């Protein structure tokens, strides 16, 4: 099958299929008749694996490592567990940073509730320039109110 057919079957764009081919995740056969790249059922299965991996948060580098482990005849599951544990830790850290940012934004809005808009010639925005970051107790209290 050609690029468009594989892309349609897997509900991705043809550019996605071409990208995965360029970086070596897919290995189509070049047709001797017309020089086009032809994708097999194995490529379809590999693309399904790549899509599932991306949905689980694996990077392309992770996917290349997992596939490489498999192609060397090794079970990639231990590596997969290690990688997803790392991705989960990174996601948790990002989530905590996002919560902190949300709480800081809420604190800014609360501080600005009774402040008039305006800026002097030397200021860009008086609201931002006058902002004082809340204490940890304030952030914790705000976070607990959301639960």
């Amino acid at each position: 099958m050609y690029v468009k057919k594989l892309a349609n079957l897997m509900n991705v764009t043809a550019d996605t299929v071409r990208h995965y081919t360029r970086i070596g995740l897919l290995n189509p056969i070049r047709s001797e008749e017309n020089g086009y790249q032809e994708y097999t059922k194995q490529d379809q299965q590999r693309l399904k694996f790549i899509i599932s991996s991306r949905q689980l948060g694996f990077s392309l580098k992770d996917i290349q490592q997992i596939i490489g482990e498999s192609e060397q005849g090794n079970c990639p599951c231990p590596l997969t567990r290690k990688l997803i544990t790392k991705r989960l830790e990174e996601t948790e850290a990002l989530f905590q940073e996002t919560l902190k940012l949300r709480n800081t934004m809420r604190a800014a809005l609360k501080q600005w509730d009774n402040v008039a808009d305006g800026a002097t010639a030397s200021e860009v925005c008086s609201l931002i320039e006058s902002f004082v970051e809340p204490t940890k107790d304030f952030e914790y209290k705000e976070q607990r109110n959301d639960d």
Side-chain angles (χ1 to χ4, degrees):
M1 75 186 86
Y2 297 124
V3 172
K4 284 187 178 184
K5 183 174 182 181
L6 178 60
N8 288 338
L9 279 171
M10 301 306 296
N11 201 26
V12 296
T13 66
D15 285 340
T16 298
V17 174
R18 289 185 191 103
H19 176 69
Y20 293 150
T21 302
R22 268 192 310 276
I23 64 172
L25 291 175
L26 297 175
N27 299 303
I29 301 166
R30 182 134 338 245
S31 171
E32 291 182 20
E33 295 174 12
N34 57 22
Y36 292 154
Q37 293 180 327
E38 293 185 19
Y39 294 88
T40 65
K41 289 283 185 190
Q42 288 176 318
D43 291 310
Q44 184 179 350
Q45 183 179 354
R46 172 72 61 89
L47 183 55
K48 182 179 180 184
F49 171 81
I50 294 166
I51 293 166
S52 295
S53 298
R54 296 295 285 157
Q55 289 172 340
L56 282 166
F58 288 102
S59 69
L60 291 177
K61 183 180 175 186
D62 294 339
I63 296 167
Q64 287 170 325
Q65 286 181 296
I66 294 166
I67 289 172
E69 193 75 10
S70 177
E71 288 177 344
Q72 290 176 11
N74 301 320
C75 176
C77 294
L79 173 63
T80 300
R81 288 177 189 275
K82 179 182 168 188
L83 291 171
I84 202 163
T85 298
K86 182 180 176 186
R87 293 293 160 252
L88 180 59
E89 289 169 358
E90 292 168 353
T91 300
E92 287 290 343
L94 181 59
F95 178 69
Q96 292 304 317
E97 288 176 29
T98 302
L99 284 176
K100 182 179 178 189
L101 178 58
R102 180 191 70 178
N103 291 334
T104 301
M105 290 174 165
R106 286 181 172 173
L109 284 172
K110 190 170 186 170
Q111 281 183 22
W112 298 343
D113 276 347
N114 298 316
V115 177
D117 292 345
T120 65
S122 64
E123 296 176 322
V124 175
C125 177
S126 61
L127 294 176
I128 293 173
E129 293 173 21
S130 67
F131 177 68
V132 178
E133 190 167 6
T135 64
K136 293 290 180 196
D137 291 337
F138 180 79
E139 287 179 298
Y140 178 72
K141 185 175 103 182
E142 286 293 308
Q143 191 173 8
R144 288 192 62 214
N145 287 341
D146 295 334
D147 293 340

